[in-house]
Structure formats: structure tokens, C-alpha cells
Amino acid sequence: MEITSIINQIGNTPLIKLKQVSELTNCNIYGKAEYFNPGESVKDRAALFIVKNALEKKKIEKGGIIVEGTAGNTGIGLAVVCKEYGLNLKIVIPKTQSIEKKNILKKLGADLIEVDAVPYSNPNNYIKQSKKIADDLSKKHNHGVVWGNQFDNTVNTEAHIVTTANEIWSQTAGQVDGFTCAVGTGGTLAGVSIGLKNKNRNIKIALSDPMGSSLYSYVKNKKLESKGSSITEGIGTARITKNFEKAIIDDAFQTDDTEALRLVYDLIEKQNIILGGSSGINIAGAIKLAKKLGKRKTIVTILCDDGRRYASKIFNKEFLKSKNLPVPKWL
Ligand code: PMP
């Protein structure tokens, strides 16, 4: 592998055994450590595939503009990839996303447009605004303008079939019994479920959903209904995206923030691994899947990104207290 380009370092992330939760369940629970990617999240994979696809299909060339609506991580992945190919990047992000992610995006040279967080049904939703900006720009730009469209562009799913699923299969020597993760775009769950089921139909795939998302009820009883809310970022949704539509799902679990954050804090104390909230939802899902599948099974989940990306929230006593969330004793 060529090592001189940073984008060649996307993927092939380590698979780490999560000791505490493995002991608790008498299973082997592993986390795919996606914070090892250059943009430090699982979204580098989708970003790379989306940009490469646009270049290959000659929709864009050096000097062109990628436009995307993102909770932050896809934007950071795109910033890494765009720099490599000499592309410009315009990001539309909801104001509610962490200050840390927005600062990284600015440092990486992205043009950041912050908008109010409104549901997808509203025409001012960040995803819809990003499409409109891309459409407007494409009328007057001659190096190409591409809307990433990570939610409904299934190149996103393809990235995880080709890379994440194959890596999990070889890192477990084909001995994986179950996989679970949360859904933002659905690319990870769809791609890994398709990739693993292609190898072995018996591998159980479960959705790990935060509160406030409608997907748990959709998997359980085909109704898009939600209860509660979550401070986690990048996951949970009220609609079926083209990527999620492709996922092959056997089961679903729902986890609240208190349970997820306790797991995040526990992992810091026991294994010095610092993760964001969505990874806590994923690990909780892995425990629930392990309990359902029984002892001595191998379960894999995704460690989506680094907790320092949310320090102003999940390592901030005042913020946690204001949301009635657990405060670790060392904070
Ligand atoms: N966790 C975090 C922190 C994310 O930013 C995302 C992507 N928005 C996900 C999980 C979910 O990944 P996907 O988009 O592949 O469903």
C-alpha cells in the first residue's frame, strides 16, 4: 500500500476487545476502532467513496466543489479527502452540533454554513439546504459541483460492503456471530449487514437506536414512531433513507443516554478508550445482542469516533447536570 497519501490510511482500523462488557456477557465483544481513520471517524470511508465515485464519473475535477449536509463527521472526512484531490468543500451543519466538530471543519478549510436544526420535513432542513446550495452553485461553476447526498447516495453503503464488512470478516477469521450499530445515514449498518450476510446468512444483524429516533419502532412494527430524545450526535432519524432501506436487519434495541454514557465513562476508566456518545449506544446494543444470542458468541460493533469531539457536552459537568445525565466522579 502506498503510504505517502493520507487517504490511503482510511480503513483497516483495529478491532479491539471490549473487556468489561465481554466479561459481563460471557461473550467476545469487539469494537471496530474507527477513530483511527485520518478524519478520526467512521465517516471517512463514505467520504472517500463518494468523492472517488464523483471523480471517476467525471462529475467533478480539480477546483470543483463538494457540497454536503452533515452532522460533522462526514464533513471532516470530506475535508481530508477533498484536500487530497484539490477540491473545495462547502458544509451545511445544524447549529446544535458540537463546537469541537465545527472548529475542526474550519481548521481543515471547509466553508461552514450553520443552520437551525429543523426536521427533514421542513424545507430549511440542513440536508435540503445543502442540495439547494449545490444546485445553485452548479449553474455557475465549470469544474463541477457535486452534492454528496450521503443519506440517499448508496455509494455510502458500497464503501462499507467493500471495506468495513470485509475487514470484520477477516479480523474475526470468519467467526463473527452478530453485528450491531446505530444509524445516521444507514450506510454502515446497510453495508456491513450486506457484506457479512454475503459471507454467512446466519450472522445476526441488529439496529442499535438512541431515544428520539423512529427506526426502532420501524424495525419492530413497521411504524415510524419516536419517544424521548438524545444528546448523541450523528445518529437517530425519522425517515427511511436509501441507504437504510438496503440494510438486512434481524433485530433492534433501543438505549437511553444514561445507559450509553455510563458505558462510555466505564471504558475510559477501565481501558483508557475515549469514545463519543454514539459508540455508547452501539456498545449497549452489543450487550443486548450478546445476551440474546447466548454465551461464547462473538459480537462486533462500531466505535464511531473520539469522545474529545464532544468534550463541551459529555465531559462538561454543567451540561450533564442540565440534561439529568450521569456525571462521572472524576469530572
Ligand atoms: N456515529 C457518529 C458519531 C456519526 O457521525 C455517524 C454518521 N452520521 C454515525 C455514528 C452513523 O453512521 P452512518 O451514517 O453510517 O449510519
Side-chain angles (χ1 to χ4, degrees):
M1 191 209 283
E2 216 218 299
I3 55 163
T4 51
S5 163
I6 196 166
I7 60 169
N8 288 332
Q9 303 303 323
I10 295 176
N12 286 314
T13 54
L15 193 66
I16 296 174
K17 182 155 179 186
L18 305 177
K19 292 184 197 158
Q20 259 15 71
V21 293
S22 293
E23 267 170 40
L24 175 83
T25 54
N26 274 305
C27 282
N28 289 312
I29 298 183
Y30 293 96
K32 191 102 173 93
E34 292 297 295
Y35 50 89
F36 275 85
N37 282 310
E40 300 178 355
S41 92
V42 65
K43 297 304 305 200
D44 280 21
R45 297 175 190 264
L48 178 62
F49 270 61
I50 287 171
V51 172
K52 269 191 161 174
N53 181 262
L55 288 163
E56 277 159 20
K57 294 208 165 134
K58 307 224 179 303
K59 291 181 183 165
I60 198 166
E61 59 182 18
K62 196 171 175 181
I65 311 171
I66 299 279
V67 184
E68 185 62 307
T70 159
N73 280 337
T74 303
I76 295 168
L78 284 170
V80 170
V81 178
C82 284
K83 190 136 294 178
E84 188 66 19
Y85 289 110
L87 301 168
N88 300 302
L89 179 62
K90 232 179 229 312
I91 292 299
V92 184
I93 188 168
K95 284 181 185 155
T96 46
Q97 302 307 289
S98 81
I99 184 79
E100 290 86 349
K101 283 192 293 194
K102 290 180 210 161
N103 285 341
I104 299 168
L105 277 163
K106 284 181 197 157
K107 279 187 197 138
L108 292 176
D111 181 9
L112 210 60
I113 303 161
E114 290 188 51
V115 300
D116 289 334
V118 294
Y120 187 75
S121 52
N122 186 319
N124 290 327
N125 171 270
Y126 72 107
I127 302 167
K128 289 182 175 162
Q129 288 208 48
S130 68
K131 180 179 188 314
K132 188 172 180 319
I133 290 168
D135 287 345
D136 291 347
L137 280 172
S138 64
K139 288 174 199 143
K140 47 188 179 211
H141 208 278
N142 38 20
H143 295 292
V145 177
V146 166
W147 179 45
N149 189 19
Q150 57 165 332
F151 290 87
D152 294 305
N153 179 350
T154 54
V155 169
N156 175 357
T157 291
E158 193 61 32
H160 294 283
I161 299 176
V162 175
T163 70
T164 325
N166 277 326
E167 291 168 30
I168 292 170
W169 182 256
S170 57
Q171 284 170 313
T172 56
Q175 298 302 302
V176 51
D177 300 294
F179 173 83
T180 184
C181 74
V183 161
T185 64
T188 312
L189 188 64
V192 175
S193 67
I194 294 168
L196 288 182
K197 294 251 188 200
N198 278 343
K199 305 274 190 196
N200 175 359
R201 296 301 297 179
N202 297 324
I203 297 171
K204 290 279 176 276
I205 306 291
L207 160 76
S208 290
D209 217 24
M211 301 309 292
S213 174
S214 307
L215 298 180
Y216 172 78
S217 93
Y218 182 78
V219 173
K220 287 289 184 190
N221 48 38
K222 289 274 168 260
K223 280 190 197 136
L224 280 169
E225 288 171 351
S226 71
K227 253 194 266 158
S229 64
S230 173
I231 62 139
T232 57
E233 295 184 23
I235 57 170
T237 174
R239 75 174 176 112
I240 308 301
T241 64
K242 292 270 183 292
N243 283 295
F244 181 75
E245 218 169 61
K246 288 179 158 290
I248 311 166
I249 302 172
D250 301 296
D251 209 343
F253 305 107
Q254 196 160 39
T255 297
D256 66 29
D257 287 347
T258 298
E259 192 181 341
L261 285 179
R262 286 215 167 101
L263 289 164
V264 167
Y265 300 140
D266 210 43
L267 214 53
I268 295 172
E269 286 165 27
K270 309 281 174 30
Q271 275 185 268
N272 280 330
I273 298 172
I274 306 173
L275 300 171
S278 73
S279 303
I281 299 285
N282 284 354
I283 297 167
I287 296 171
K288 290 166 192 174
L289 181 59
K291 285 184 175 162
K292 216 152 177 186
L293 295 186
K295 289 180 185 170
R296 289 179 290 281
K297 297 285 194 259
T298 295
I299 314 289
V300 177
T301 191
I302 303 285
L303 310 181
C304 313
D305 65 0
D306 192 302
R308 279 161 281 219
R309 205 156 264 192
Y310 310 94
S312 59
K313 293 183 176 178
I314 65 174
F315 304 132
N316 174 349
K317 220 175 183 169
E318 281 67 45
F319 175 85
L320 292 169
K321 278 187 180 164
S322 75
K323 301 276 177 194
N324 254 327
L325 290 167
V327 179
K329 57 184 180 302
W330 38 263
L331 205 63

